[in-house]
Amino acid sequence: MTTPVRDLPLLFLGTGSDPASERGVDCPGELPAASDPGLVERARAAKAALGDQVFVLGHHYQRDEVIQFADVTGDSFKLAQQAAGRPDAPYIVFCGVHFMAESADILTAGHQQVVLPDLAAGCSMADMATFDQVEECWESLEDAGIADDVVPVTYMNSSADIKAFVGRHGGVVCTSSNAKRALDWAYSKGSKVLFLPDQHLGRNTGVLEMGFSLDDCVLYNPHRPDGGLTHQQMRDAKMLLWRGHCSVHGRFSKESVDDVRARVPGVNVLVHPECRHEVVLSADQIGSTEYIIKTIEAAPAGSAWAVGTELNLVKRLAGAHPDKNIMFLDKTVCYCSTMNRIDLPHLVWSLEALARGEVVNRIEVDAETAHYARVALDQMLALP
């Protein structure tokens, strides 16, 4: 007996994988279960008991059962700024990933304590650039005789150690929405840029917005001696891209775009600049998470959109705009596995602990690292 083939629009979690995807995108297991009503009530009670003592931040990629308790939603930098703007709240509960909570700790006052409900909520992209690896890279640039010409630029999606490294070396932090401004500033200070840790954002910004050629950008692989580059390649390059990527945005392919255009006439393809270069070239619009949200909100009723970003946000946008046809760009459904570590049980546990006067999972960046990371963050805030 043969099993009938179902014409499913998606490969649901646990039913298949895409061998063409970049690493870190397998999705075993079932879809997340619905929120336990008892946990929902416990979260409400704990948050009410804490009152103005707690400020809950929720990243756009969080699941709905968590985002319902956020006082503010946004991207990583917006949330860190919001935390800094609430000095009267002694507790900041950051529903996001580790580097975001670090940035919140760096930007908030000393009496405030930042809590990450699950310490396992990391970021694969941020983990692709360690302090020791970046130090080795800088030594290679010194050996090539170009370190004095290089300005380091790190994406917000990096650890506090990497932000501090950049601050020590006269660089700047950037977001997906101000990457060009950060690069313009960097090239006013030096002739070359080391862009950390997302190669795709760096390449897309350099080629599509700065007028560089692909040959102007070389890829530094931290797992190979001298990054797999000759000293001459380093000298000839305008931008040295770190070999890192987002495991969610890196999974989208040009085939994904071609497929959705074939299936949905008149569809608008809207992608994040963390996507691969060939995907961005095939898209209709490219922009940050906030740009994606605003574009969908402003779109006319009846329009169709295939969105290349994290699935929780795409689902939330589809639910909020039923008059528009909003779909996930890829056929394979995949959440950000580390972002989804922050679930309702962890949130309840952290809120109830705070209500008892117990601070759990505090994220605290040491003073020296925080100082130099703040230098790089403040330079971003000072960009023209």
Side-chain angles (χ1 to χ4, degrees):
M1 179 179 177
T2 59
T3 302
V5 176
R6 295 179 296 166
D7 185 21
L8 290 176
L10 300 168
L11 289 172
F12 286 98
L13 299 186
T15 66
S17 62
D18 181 1
S21 297
E22 299 192 44
R23 69 181 179 86
V25 297
D26 290 336
C27 294
E30 301 298 324
L31 289 166
S35 302
D36 183 323
L39 287 176
V40 172
E41 290 306 317
R42 285 172 61 182
R44 286 175 180 159
K47 194 163 184 284
L50 286 161
D52 293 339
Q53 286 187 294
V54 69
F55 190 47
V56 180
L57 303 172
H59 191 272
H60 288 306
Y61 298 166
Q62 289 291 303
R63 57 179 78 186
D64 287 343
E65 68 176 25
V66 170
I67 213 78
Q68 65 180 313
F69 294 105
D71 295 303
V72 174
T73 59
D75 60 15
S76 57
F77 186 62
K78 173 185 174 182
L79 294 177
Q81 285 182 306
Q82 289 287 328
R86 289 292 296 267
D88 294 336
Y91 305 126
I92 306 294
V93 175
F94 208 122
C95 298
V97 294
H98 197 273
F99 78 81
M100 300 178 187
E102 284 184 331
S103 295
D105 183 62
I106 291 165
L107 293 173
T108 49
H111 68 277
Q112 294 178 286
Q113 300 181 77
V114 178
V115 169
L116 184 66
D118 185 352
L119 292 180
C123 170
S124 60
M125 180 199 295
D127 292 344
M128 290 176 192
T130 68
F131 180 80
D132 289 343
Q133 288 173 334
V134 178
E135 283 277 343
E136 289 179 12
C137 173
W138 200 258
E139 290 173 4
S140 294
L141 299 180
E142 290 176 334
D143 292 342
I146 61 171
D148 290 343
D149 302 318
V150 176
V151 178
V153 176
T154 190
Y155 191 21
M156 191 74 181
N157 300 27
S158 57
S159 69
D161 282 340
I162 300 305
K163 291 183 178 75
F165 175 94
V166 170
R168 288 188 188 96
H169 289 85
V172 65
V173 177
C174 77
T175 68
S176 55
S177 58
N178 70 6
K180 182 181 184 298
R181 278 186 286 146
L183 287 173
D184 283 337
W185 175 87
Y187 284 108
S188 74
K189 304 296 180 182
S191 60
K192 303 177 188 298
V193 160
L194 171 63
F195 194 91
L196 302 153
D198 180 22
Q199 59 169 302
H200 300 311
L201 178 62
R203 183 182 296 106
N204 290 329
T205 307
V207 173
L208 300 180
E209 299 190 56
M210 308 285 292
F212 294 169
S213 71
L214 289 174
D215 291 337
D216 290 329
C217 309
V218 297
L219 191 63
Y220 182 94
N221 184 345
H223 303 291
R224 297 180 62 185
D226 285 332
L229 300 170
T230 66
H231 286 176
Q232 191 59 48
Q233 287 176 308
M234 294 181 187
R235 296 186 194 109
D236 292 340
K238 291 182 179 178
M239 184 182 294
L240 295 104
L241 301 168
W242 193 263
R243 190 174 181 268
H245 63 270
C246 169
S247 58
V248 171
H249 291 107
R251 73 163 299 102
F252 299 113
S253 65
K254 184 178 182 301
E255 288 71 26
S256 303
V257 179
D258 294 340
D259 176 75
V260 78
R261 290 198 192 282
R263 288 187 290 110
V264 186
V267 69
N268 300 280
V269 178
L270 173 60
V271 302
H272 195 281
E274 290 176 21
C275 292
R276 290 187 260 189
H277 189 61
E278 59 268 26
V279 174
V280 167
L281 288 177
S282 302
D284 297 302
Q285 295 192 52
I286 310 111
S288 66
T289 303
E290 295 287 348
Y291 177 88
I292 288 172
I293 293 170
K294 291 176 181 177
T295 300
I296 294 295
E297 288 175 345
S303 56
W305 296 84
V307 185
T309 193
E310 207 275 341
L311 182 59
N312 274 315
L313 175 58
V314 179
K315 287 177 61 181
R316 192 170 300 122
L317 288 171
H321 302 280
D323 60 328
K324 302 160 193 176
N325 184 14
I326 300 168
M327 67 207 76
F328 193 57
L329 175 57
D330 196 21
K331 279 189 173 182
T332 307
V333 175
C334 192
Y335 295 88
C336 175
S337 58
T338 50
M339 192 73 74
N340 271 269
R341 296 287 309 192
I342 308 298
D343 55 12
L344 197 55
H346 283 94
L347 179 60
V348 169
W349 171 70
S350 59
L351 289 174
E352 289 184 339
L354 290 175
R356 296 192 303 268
E358 178 186 355
V359 179
V360 296
N361 287 4
R362 183 181 179 187
I363 301 299
E364 190 171 13
V365 180
D366 69 89
E368 182 179 4
T369 300
H371 168 74
Y372 284 105
R374 183 71 184 255
V375 168
L377 285 165
D378 284 345
Q379 182 55 66
M380 179 179 72
L381 293 174
L383 291 173

